[in-house]
């Protein structure tokens, strides 16, 4: 497998990608039809195809490309959100891929998110994490800044960044100074997907709410997070289901102590079924310190816990999960054995053999904490 570092072209989009009729056709193909065949809505295996690295410090339209924390694919266009807190924005791009690998990533546009008054967002009030396309809009999440009292959110914006709407948050997701209630810093709406019936959205907490359970550790602490459904028509949170986090995968090394595990992203691929990206990180490792796993999650029998203020001591049925891919099994295929800070996941186009592609992206944190990779991973879904 050959790593591509610089074989890409940056393209400035002059107009739309094809005719209106072509866009409508692609909309039907990418958004309204089942991405997996009706007869086989089961994923049995994920096969590694390729890795593609965008060079650190690459500049596109006066911005450094980095911090890509979410990715989606629709209308033959890729949407990527950057967690740039100074000027929150998203990119559009073309990705040339096949069953042989990724040959090019061509950025075509950049769009700044606006506030309700039409102005660019203020600096440092958002922490963009996830993005999904839907109905000529994009939906995106921010973790806010819990320690500073800045609330997380789920917003809808038009394709030019104009504010459209915002979901109403239950009190449990709002910043709270109490040690036993509310979200944890950097642990809120990390994951987002469109529901399978396209009537709403699912958001996943990265870490447990304080009132629900303890943080994951190297031991099994029974750490639970909530995955919540938002009604697209009303922007209201409705049902919530429970996901059990794995323990932290590895101990911190070299005198460091930071260890964490949480859900980085999710993707609904069938009724009651999701792909869930779980990420464990520990400091002190030269290979990035990340342990990445993709689970096949079934919520068919999961209890709606939206009426529970706390999960502690409550009776409920959580989702079931089955491991599909542990990235440690493909570490040797990656640049310097590094599994970077993977945060985005989406279905891509069909491959030549009819199987669906799956594309993941890593948030390199703009290499603020040291050198990281703008890493893209291409997988094949086998049914």
């Amino acid at each position: 497998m050959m790593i591509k570092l610089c074989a890409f072209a940056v393209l400035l989009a002059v107009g739309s990608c094809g005719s209106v009729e072509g866009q409508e056709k692609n909309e039907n193909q990418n958004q309204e039809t089942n991405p997996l065949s009706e007869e086989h809505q089961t994923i049995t295996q994920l096969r590694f195809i390729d890795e593609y690295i965008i060079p650190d410090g690459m500049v596109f339209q006066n911005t450094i490309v980095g911090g890509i924390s979410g990715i989606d694919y629709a209308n033959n266009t890729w949407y990527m959100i950057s967690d740039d807190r100074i000027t929150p924005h998203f990119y559009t791009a073309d990705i040339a891929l096949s069953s042989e690998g990724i040959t090019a990533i061509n950025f075509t546009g950049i769009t700044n998110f606006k506030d309700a008054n039409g102005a660019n967002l203020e600096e440092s009030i958002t922490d963009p994490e996830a993005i999904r396309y839907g109905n000529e809009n994009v939906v995106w999440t921010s973790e806010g800044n819990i320690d500073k009292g800045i609330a997380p959110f789920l917003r809808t914006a038009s394709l030019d960044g104009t504010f459209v709407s915002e979901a109403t948050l239950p009190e449990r997701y709002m910043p709270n100074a109490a040690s036993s209630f509310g979200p944890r810093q950097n642990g809120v709406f990390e994951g987002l997907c469109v529901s399978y019936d396209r009537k709403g959205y699912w958001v996943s907490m990265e870490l447990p709410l304080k009132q629900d359970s303890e943080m994951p550790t190297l031991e099994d602490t029974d750490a639970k997070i909530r995955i919540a459904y938002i009604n697209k028509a009303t922007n209201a949170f409705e049902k919530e289901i429970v996901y059990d986090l794995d323990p932290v995968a590895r101990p911190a090394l070299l005198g460091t102590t930071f260890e964490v595990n949480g859900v980085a992203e999710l993707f609904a691929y069938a009724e009651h079924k999701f792909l869930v990206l779980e990420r464990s990180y520990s400091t002190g490792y030269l290979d990035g310190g990340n342990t990445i796993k993709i689970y096949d999650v079934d919520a068919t029998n999961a209890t709606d816990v939206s009426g529970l203020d706390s999960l502690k001591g409550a009776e409920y049925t959580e989702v079931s999960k089955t491991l599909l891919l542990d990235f440690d099994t493909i570490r040797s295929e990656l640049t310097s054995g590094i599994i970077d800070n993977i945060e985005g996941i989406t279905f891509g186009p069909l491959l030549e053999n009819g199987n669906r592609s799956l594309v993941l992206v890593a948030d390199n944190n703009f290499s603020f904490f040291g050198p990281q990779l703008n890493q893209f991973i291409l997988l094949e879904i086998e049914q």
Side-chain angles (χ1 to χ4, degrees), residues 233-295:
T234 64
N235 269 326
F237 278 62
E238 295 184 348
K239 63 184 119 176
E240 298 178 348
I241 53 180
V242 178
Y243 178 95
D244 183 36
L245 291 171
D246 286 357
V248 171
R250 297 188 285 179
L253 297 179
L254 304 178
T256 63
T257 60
F258 187 78
E259 302 166 347
V260 70
N261 184 55
V263 167
E265 188 61 286
L266 78 168
F267 192 92
Y269 72 87
E271 189 70 26
H272 306 302
K273 292 185 177 181
F274 303 86
L275 293 177
V276 170
L277 180 66
E278 201 165 333
R279 176 190 56 201
S280 178
Y281 172 73
S282 301
T283 51
Y285 289 85
L286 297 177
D287 63 7
N290 296 291
T291 299
I292 304 294
K293 297 177 181 178
I294 300 177
Y295 283 97

